[in-house]
């Protein structure tokens, strides 16, 4: 099992460009998450999906959109990148607290630099 | 608004010593408290977790101490090893929402 995979690993964008970060999990988890990690800020939730076809805003959703394409895949889109979106982005998945399995499994991250 | 406050920001410990990281929370609706460990260039991974119905949980050299009345919980790493050098995050989950709120992280360095 690969667990949670993310592509790309690293990306450089110019201000105003768009891009989609891809995430896939092979653990048959219902819940999937996108976080950003910035120095001194910890991990902050951008968007969350409890199941295929549902998404919910997290703590810092502005400037992002998401798509839960199917149970395996959850993508994050930056429509018009800004330097403030320079960060490390992590995707995670879990079976969920309500199903007695709250552990979140994280991918290796995507390092994004917006110039 | 930081709902989970973590300290210290960084910690330097000698090999064999005890590492202690503290977290405090505000919302009494939090009911699941995990600790995640992150090595450089990797994603975080669950280390140990506790629910508020117990005051302590131990797994090997790692122990969570939980004080419900003070709304505080801490991670103790006994006999710290250089391989424990990593960033540690505490987190809290509220009321079966499936959403974790993370602390700001503690960078632990263990020197031989």
């Amino acid at each position: 099992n690969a667990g949670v995979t993310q592509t790309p690993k690293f990306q450089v964008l110019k201000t105003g460009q768009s891009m989609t970060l891809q995430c896939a999990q092979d653990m048959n988890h219902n819940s999937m998450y996108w976080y950003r990690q910035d120095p001194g800020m910890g991990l902050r939730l951008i968007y969350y999906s409890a199941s295929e076809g549902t998404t919910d805003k997290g703590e810092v959703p502005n400037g992002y959109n998401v798509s839960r394409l199917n149970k395996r895949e959850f993508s994050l889109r930056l429509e018009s990148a800004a330097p403030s979106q320079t960060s490390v982005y992590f995707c995670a998945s879990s079976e969920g607290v309500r199903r007695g399995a709250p552990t979140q499994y994280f991918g290796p991250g995507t390092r994004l630099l917006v110039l | 608004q930081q709902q989970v406050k973590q300290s210290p920001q960084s910690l330097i410990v000698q090999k064999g010593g005890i590492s202690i990281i503290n977290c405090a929370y505000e919302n009494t609706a939090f009911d699941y408290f995990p600790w995640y460990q992150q090595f450089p260039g990797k994603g975080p991974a669950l280390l140990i977790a506790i629910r508020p119905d117990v005051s302590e949980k131990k797994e090997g050299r790692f122990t969570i101490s939980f004080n419900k009345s003070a709304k505080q919980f801490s991670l103790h790493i006994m006999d710290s090893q250089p391989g424990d050098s990593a960033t540690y995050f505490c987190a809290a989950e509220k009321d079966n929402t499936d959403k974790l709120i993370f602390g700001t992280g503690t960078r632990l360095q263990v020197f031989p």
Side-chain angles (χ1 to χ4, degrees), chain A residues 31 33 35 37 40-43 45 48 56-57 90 96-98 102-104 106-108 111, chain B residues 1 9 32 36 38 41-46 51 89 93 96-100 102-105:
Chain A
S31 301
Y33 312 81
Y35 292 92
Q37 183 176 20
M41 302 291 287
L43 291 142
L45 183 64
Y48 158 66
D56 191 14
K57 292 180 180 179
F90 287 100
V97 172
R98 282 167 284 187
T103 302
Q104 291 190 17
F106 284 78
R111 283 145 186 80
Chain B
Q1 178 183 352
Q9 195 171 10
Y32 171 68
Y36 280 77
Q38 184 181 29
K42 305 292 186 183
L46 179 69
R51 292 197 181 272
F89 293 95
E93 190 265 350
N96 291 329
T97 60
D98 282 339
K99 298 179 187 179
L100 290 176
F102 284 87
T104 50

Side-chain angles (χ1 to χ4, degrees), chain B residues 22-98:
Chain B
N22 300 299
C23 282
Y25 63 97
E26 299 165 0
N27 194 328
T28 54
F30 290 147
D31 58 5
Y32 171 68
F33 301 89
W35 285 89
Y36 280 77
Q37 179 188 53
Q38 184 181 29
F39 293 105
K42 305 292 186 183
L46 179 69
L47 183 64
I48 188 172
I50 198 168
R51 292 197 181 272
D53 52 346
V54 298
S55 60
E56 185 175 282
K57 184 173 181 180
K58 184 176 181 180
E59 290 183 2
R61 296 184 293 109
F62 301 91
T63 300
I64 299 179
S65 296
F66 186 83
N67 186 328
K68 189 173 182 178
S69 60
K71 293 188 283 186
Q72 294 175 346
F73 58 111
S74 59
L75 176 69
H76 296 236
I77 306 174
M78 310 301 287
D79 187 25
S80 298
Q81 299 296 312
D84 297 330
S85 297
T87 299
Y88 293 81
F89 293 95
C90 63
E93 190 265 350
K94 185 175 71 170
D95 259 352
N96 291 329
T97 60
D98 282 339

Side-chain angles (χ1 to χ4, degrees), chain A residues 58-111:
Chain A
E59 185 184 355
V60 288
N62 291 345
Y64 305 96
N65 286 301
V66 290
S67 294
R68 183 74 183 267
L69 306 168
N70 48 55
K71 192 171 186 179
R72 288 188 65 247
E73 298 172 290
F74 189 35
S75 62
L76 179 72
R77 183 160 178 83
L78 287 70
E79 290 291 351
S80 178
S84 61
Q85 294 178 304
T86 292
S87 187
V88 182
Y89 291 85
F90 287 100
C91 177
S93 72
S94 80
E95 192 50 39
V97 172
R98 282 167 284 187
R99 298 175 183 87
T103 302
Q104 291 190 17
Y105 296 85
F106 284 78
T110 293
R111 283 145 186 80

